[in-house]
Amino acid sequence: IKEINLVFLKLEIKIQKKKFFHYLKLEFLIAWRYLRAKRREGGVSTIAWFSFLGVALGVATLIVVQAVMVGFKEEFTDRIIGANPHLVIHKSVFVDVDKIINIKTSNSLIKKISNIEGIVHSYPVITGQVMGANEGKYSGLQVIGIDENDLKKIDLIAHPEKKVGIIDNFHMGLSIGNGVANNLEIGIDQSLRLISPDGLKTIFGTTPRIGDFPVKYIFKVGRYDIDRYRIYMPLLDAQEFFNKENQIDKINVLIENPSKTEETKLNLKNLLGSDYEIWTWKDYSGAFLSALDVERRVMFIILSLVILIAALNIISGLIMLVKNKRKDIGILRTMGLSQNSIVRIFIICGSLIGVLGTISGLILGTLFSYYLPDLQVLIEESLNRELWNPELRFLTEVPVRIRIIDLSYISFVSLTLSIIVTIFPAINAARLDPVEALKHE
């Protein structure tokens, strides 16, 4: 008897499943027919189109904004990591007023540092501020004195977006950013005059130090503040020019995983003690990157409200649809459809607008984001003006990063809002009494 009951139970479950899918197919067909119905047939085609366009444009806008903001952060981070040291070591001002490190000390420090796990390379540098001059044009510049082999370890300098000259000739002159070259109108093998206010001290005061150096290598990393103001000079020439023979200012460190700078910083701190201060790339730019993250999240919330506003049109459309289809709802109920079926019909009807709008918005937003840099160039050439100011944004073009996780979040928010707003009108439709709906027919 137990086996027979089990067989009947399984058979009943199969029948119920078949009925469910049969009714679900019927509910979907009814919902699709209501959605396509014209206004004179009791449909809401005009409102449905406006709701569809609202959801699609809201999703596309959110995708474009998120792609640009994520791209800006990632591009900015890549340029920071690729063209700058990950950690900087210099003498602590609380230990000695003289912050200069001599060559012997730096060599011993570099040997110690190289034994720490995760450190790829470390090298000494000299930094200074100078005035660059060429044929009556002047510009304030940042000079970094560095050895040629160490310069080749800096990824974005050795392998920039664009370059002129050969980096192997760096030991014979200067390496400058393309912004410096454009501003001072100087090219390869031309001499650039550098003027340092910290020159020779005489009885009449300090005289500026002046030196002429040939340009051997021009790079473009795509970040405005580097391309426009940075100059690399051979370490020995920098020591002589800044009157720091056998001395350096800092030790720069490159690590294997730049995201783990805090762990490496702690290891260096334990090794070097309190005599040295250690700064990471996050200390220099972390606040700015955190601000970008906050802004991106806020924009996500604000633009999600745009999708919600578009989804609210679905409510008005469904309320009108329920009002116009009172007779149909009464007939369906008398034919045997349950309240749950009526609820599902109108939820499907409203959700279809959200689903189709979300899919269209995903396609539109992804395509627009992908071709945005090309559109920027096209518009700038057509208008003959610059739309993206690199002086304010530090990058030379609009950065775009399309991530699957962002598309997933946006789709989830859009679909969830589109489904939630349909529940109230659908429940009202299911509560309609079929007798009341048909007594005047």
Side-chain angles (χ1 to χ4, degrees):
I1 295 174
K2 288 182 179 179
E3 291 179 356
I4 294 173
N5 290 335
L6 184 62
V7 170
F8 277 111
L9 180 62
K10 289 181 179 180
L11 183 62
E12 185 178 355
I13 291 173
K14 287 183 180 180
I15 294 172
Q16 292 296 332
K17 284 183 178 179
K18 287 183 179 180
K19 284 185 178 180
F20 175 78
F21 286 112
H22 173 74
Y23 278 113
L24 187 62
K25 183 178 179 181
L26 177 64
E27 292 160 6
F28 183 85
L29 291 174
I30 294 172
W32 180 247
R33 183 166 183 175
Y34 282 173
L35 197 60
R36 294 177 57 195
K38 296 180 181 180
R39 187 67 178 273
R40 62 176 178 269
E41 298 172 355
V44 286
S45 58
T46 305
I47 297 177
W49 273 108
F50 279 119
S51 302
F52 165 80
L53 290 175
V55 173
L57 291 176
V59 169
T61 303
L62 188 52
I63 289 173
V64 174
V65 171
Q66 290 293 301
V68 171
M69 298 192 75
V70 170
F72 190 88
K73 183 194 172 182
E74 292 187 358
E75 193 74 15
F76 194 80
T77 304
D78 291 343
R79 302 298 166 89
I80 292 173
I81 294 173
N84 293 294
H86 304 150
L87 296 103
V88 177
I89 302 171
H90 58 82
K91 218 167 190 181
S92 175
V93 294
F94 299 104
V95 175
D96 193 347
V97 177
D98 185 9
K99 294 188 289 183
I100 300 298
I101 308 172
N102 60 48
I103 291 294
K104 290 183 179 180
T105 304
S106 68
N107 290 336
S108 64
L109 287 176
I110 289 172
K111 287 181 181 178
K112 291 181 181 179
I113 292 169
S114 61
N115 295 325
I116 296 179
E117 184 181 357
I119 290 181
V120 176
H121 187 63
S122 56
Y123 54 93
V125 295
I126 283 179
T127 59
Q129 304 293 326
V130 300
M131 177 73 73
N134 181 56
E135 297 181 355
K137 293 180 173 58
Y138 301 90
S139 177
L141 303 172
Q142 178 193 24
V143 175
I144 298 178
I146 185 173
D147 188 73
E148 180 181 329
N149 293 326
D150 297 328
L151 182 65
K152 292 178 182 178
K153 298 288 185 179
I154 305 176
D155 186 54
L156 278 184
I157 304 301
H159 308 286
E161 290 182 359
K162 295 180 181 178
K163 61 182 179 180
V164 180
I166 303 173
I167 195 171
D168 292 330
N169 296 332
F170 171 67
H171 64 279
M172 297 186 294
L174 301 176
S175 173
I176 67 175
N178 75 309
V180 178
N182 292 334
N183 190 51
L184 297 178
E185 296 182 1
I186 193 169
I188 295 296
D189 292 328
Q190 292 183 330
S191 291
L192 174 62
R193 174 161 293 181
L194 301 181
I195 305 168
S196 173
D198 186 16
L200 296 173
K201 294 183 172 123
T202 67
I203 57 174
F204 301 103
T206 303
T207 59
R209 188 181 297 272
I210 301 175
D212 293 327
F213 301 90
V215 175
K216 293 296 181 181
Y217 182 67
I218 301 174
F219 58 85
K220 178 186 178 183
V221 301
R223 185 176 161 187
Y224 180 80
D225 57 332
I226 295 176
D227 294 335
R228 175 62 183 80
Y229 297 107
R230 185 169 295 183
I231 289 180
Y232 290 98
M233 179 187 293
L235 183 60
L236 294 176
D237 292 341
Q239 289 174 334
E240 181 181 353
F241 183 75
F242 291 107
N243 197 24
K244 296 179 180 179
E245 295 183 6
N246 297 322
Q247 296 175 336
I248 63 166
D249 293 333
K250 306 170 185 175
I251 295 177
N252 291 347
V253 179
L254 302 177
I255 63 177
E256 186 176 354
N257 189 350
S259 63
K260 296 182 177 179
T261 52
E262 293 303 322
E263 297 178 13
T264 309
K265 179 180 178 179
L266 182 61
N267 293 333
L268 285 172
K269 200 72 177 174
N270 294 333
L271 176 68
L272 303 177
S274 59
D275 291 345
Y276 297 92
E277 291 186 1
I278 303 170
W279 286 71
T280 70
W281 67 269
K282 292 182 179 180
D283 294 328
Y284 288 108
S285 305
F288 179 73
L289 296 176
S290 298
L292 287 179
D293 271 336
V294 173
E295 185 178 3
R296 181 172 63 86
R297 293 189 182 98
V298 171
M299 290 301 296
F300 185 92
I301 295 172
I302 293 173
L303 292 176
S304 296
L305 296 178
V306 174
I307 298 177
L308 176 60
I309 293 171
L312 290 176
N313 287 328
I314 299 175
I315 293 181
S316 60
L318 284 182
I319 291 174
M320 291 184 61
L321 183 64
V322 170
K323 184 179 179 181
N324 294 336
K325 297 295 182 181
R326 289 172 62 89
K327 175 184 174 182
D328 291 20
I329 294 170
I331 294 173
L332 290 172
R333 289 295 309 280
T334 56
M335 291 176 63
L337 261 69
S338 64
Q339 287 186 333
N340 290 335
S341 294
I342 300 298
V343 170
R344 285 195 293 269
I345 287 173
F346 286 96
I347 286 180
I348 292 172
C349 192
S351 299
L352 280 174
I353 300 173
V355 170
L356 295 176
T358 301
I359 294 172
S360 302
L362 283 172
I363 296 172
L364 179 62
T366 303
L367 289 176
F368 189 86
S369 299
Y370 183 80
Y371 290 106
L372 186 57
D374 297 328
L375 290 172
Q376 176 199 351
V377 175
L378 180 63
I379 294 172
E380 287 181 344
E381 290 179 353
S382 301
L383 300 178
N384 196 24
R385 58 178 297 184
E386 192 175 59
L387 299 178
W388 180 268
N389 189 353
E391 295 184 25
L392 299 177
R393 299 172 178 88
F394 296 105
L395 300 177
T396 54
E397 64 178 16
V398 180
V400 177
R401 292 288 189 279
I402 303 172
R403 302 189 305 181
I404 299 298
I405 188 170
D406 292 327
L407 298 181
S408 302
Y409 279 141
I410 294 169
S411 301
F412 175 76
V413 169
S414 177
L415 292 174
T416 302
L417 292 176
S418 299
I419 293 172
I420 288 174
V421 298
T422 62
I423 295 176
F424 178 73
I427 292 176
N428 281 344
R431 288 175 177 172
L432 186 65
D433 186 1
V435 176
E436 290 292 330
L438 296 175
K439 71 179 181 178
H440 295 298
E441 299 297 333

